[in-house]
Amino acid sequence: SYVLTQPPSVSVAPGKTASITCGGTLIGTKVVHWYRQKPGQAPVLVISNDSDRPSGIPERFSGSNSGVTATLTINRVEAGDEADYYCQVWDSSVVFGGGTKLTVL
Amino acid sequence: QVQLRESGPGLVKSSETLSLTCSVSGDSITSSSHYWGWIRQPPGKGLEWIGSIDYTGKTYDNPSLTSGVTLSVDTSKNEISLKMSSVTAADTAVYFCARHHALFGVYTVLQEFDSWGQGSLVTVST
């Protein structure tokens, strides 16, 4: 079965740029979606189709996907961005990455 | 704006059947561009997809799950349901339902979960 690998944690200072990676075999040939989940809340879609931002998601959020790595980039990080982030693909089955905890220092 | 709400018992005994319902408002279950999915999250752990169903009853499910999973749809009530048989403590989790965007062609490709319910905690007691 297909496996998505995310770093368990990423730390970033406020105002800086956070990059959260999602690795998988030839992931660049798949479509990647990203979710943000704050404690006690349901996940929220922040990026779909590799790089599309749903309505209501700030322009600070962007995504890219190539080769073996997809990346969620958050510019000008704010304290409110602190959350768990999950990547997801379809490989004849839904596959989620293990999640990355983003800590804002 | 679509809203989803999970409901069902919060406590299930081991070896019995877990049953949850997801009520959808603001969109029709018969939407031609969506499936409707179930995802769970054990305490302190990541997301695990259980399965997704369309309004005709066609399903896709996670081959990794060992418990017997049954998804169903009731278009008259605009609801989907989840049943998992012979549950164990490992099935203790928050269960989410979500709208699952789909692309239909020669093959169906399930895409992103674009709206989620708030989740329902189910504890399996031993």
Side-chain angles (χ1 to χ4, degrees), chain B residues 53-73:
Chain B
I53 187 170
D54 77 354
Y55 75 97
T56 69
K58 181 173 174 55
T59 62
Y60 289 88
D61 52 42
N62 186 341
S64 301
L65 288 180
T66 56
S67 294
V69 174
T70 303
L71 305 184
S72 59
V73 59

Side-chain angles (χ1 to χ4, degrees), chain A residues 44-81:
Chain A
V44 172
L45 180 69
V46 294
I47 292 289
S48 65
N49 301 322
D50 294 342
S51 59
D52 292 339
R53 274 180 298 102
S55 174
I57 301 301
E59 292 183 6
R60 301 184 296 106
F61 286 78
S62 63
S64 63
N65 183 21
S66 179
V68 296
T69 305
T71 303
L72 172 68
T73 301
I74 309 172
N75 293 315
R76 302 182 299 283
V77 166
E78 303 173 354
D81 297 328

Side-chain angles (χ1 to χ4, degrees), chain B residues 34-110:
Chain B
H34 291 98
Y35 271 59
W36 304 86
W38 289 96
I39 304 98
R40 69 179 181 179
Q41 185 172 38
K45 297 188 178 181
L47 302 170
E48 179 180 37
W49 176 64
I50 299 170
S52 297
I53 187 170
D54 77 354
Y55 75 97
T56 69
K58 181 173 174 55
T59 62
Y60 289 88
D61 52 42
N62 186 341
S64 301
L65 288 180
T66 56
S67 294
V69 174
T70 303
L71 305 184
S72 59
V73 59
D74 188 334
T75 56
S76 66
K77 296 182 178 179
N78 221 40
E79 293 179 344
I80 62 170
S81 295
L82 167 69
K83 291 187 186 298
M84 296 181 66
S85 63
S86 305
V87 295
T88 69
D91 295 307
T92 293
V94 175
Y95 286 76
F96 298 98
C97 61
R99 190 173 70 175
H100 201 173
H101 183 225
L103 295 178
F104 298 94
V106 175
Y107 302 101
T108 296
V109 177
L110 298 185

Side-chain angles (χ1 to χ4, degrees), chain A residues 35 37 42 86 88 90 93, chain B residues 41 49 100 110-111 113 116-117:
Chain A
Y35 305 87
Q37 186 181 33
Y86 294 90
Q88 177 242 312
W90 171 253
S93 177
Chain B
Q41 185 172 38
W49 176 64
H100 201 173
L110 298 185
Q111 298 278 71
F113 297 98
W116 295 64

Side-chain angles (χ1 to χ4, degrees), chain B residues 8 10 12 14 25 28 32 34 62 67 70 78 82 94 112 120 122:
Chain B
V12 180
S14 181
S25 59
S28 173
S32 60
H34 291 98
N62 186 341
S67 294
T70 303
N78 221 40
L82 167 69
V94 175
E112 74 277 14
S120 178
V122 178

